[in-house]
Amino acid sequence: QVETFGPAVSPYRAFERTAREWDELVELVEGASLEHVPEDAAEECADVAILLCRVAAALGFDLADEIEKKMAINRARKWPAPGTGPSQHIEEP
């Protein structure tokens, strides 16, 4: 994204732009269902992902690397059965 958009002015400015795109995505999918996915949903999701990568880069890390680290943690956690509640891991005693 740096090649296309240039470097982010600051992490906060990159985040502000991400938040605006997020709001657009929220409006687009509000009330949507799996049977009725808005036409522009994929493009709006991509906008958010690109800008979130930009925030991460402005903060000095690679988002893809951090996602892999976090998914390793998530894979080791216990989760409720799908459809039985919120997607929150089960706290271990």
Side-chain angles (χ1 to χ4, degrees):
Q1 72 267 49
V2 172
E3 186 177 306
T4 301
F5 307 118
V9 174
S10 72
Y12 184 75
R13 293 282 304 274
F15 177 77
E16 282 183 316
R17 181 72 185 124
T18 305
R20 287 195 304 271
E21 289 295 332
W22 179 261
D23 289 343
E24 288 179 17
L25 180 58
V26 168
E27 286 180 25
L28 184 67
V29 299
E30 205 167 31
S33 68
L34 292 178
E35 294 81 29
H36 302 289
V37 176
E39 187 176 311
D40 298 336
E43 186 174 338
E44 291 299 330
C45 284
D47 284 345
V48 170
I50 290 164
L51 286 160
L52 195 53
C53 287
R54 200 161 162 73
V55 170
L59 291 169
F61 60 88
D62 181 272
L63 186 58
D65 292 342
E66 297 306 315
I67 289 171
E68 285 300 319
K69 290 177 194 174
K70 184 62 181 184
M71 285 304 299
I73 293 168
N74 288 338
R75 286 183 196 103
R77 290 178 164 162
K78 291 186 181 186
W79 296 87
T84 61
S87 295
Q88 176 67 36
H89 68 276
I90 299 168
E91 294 289 336
E92 297 287 337

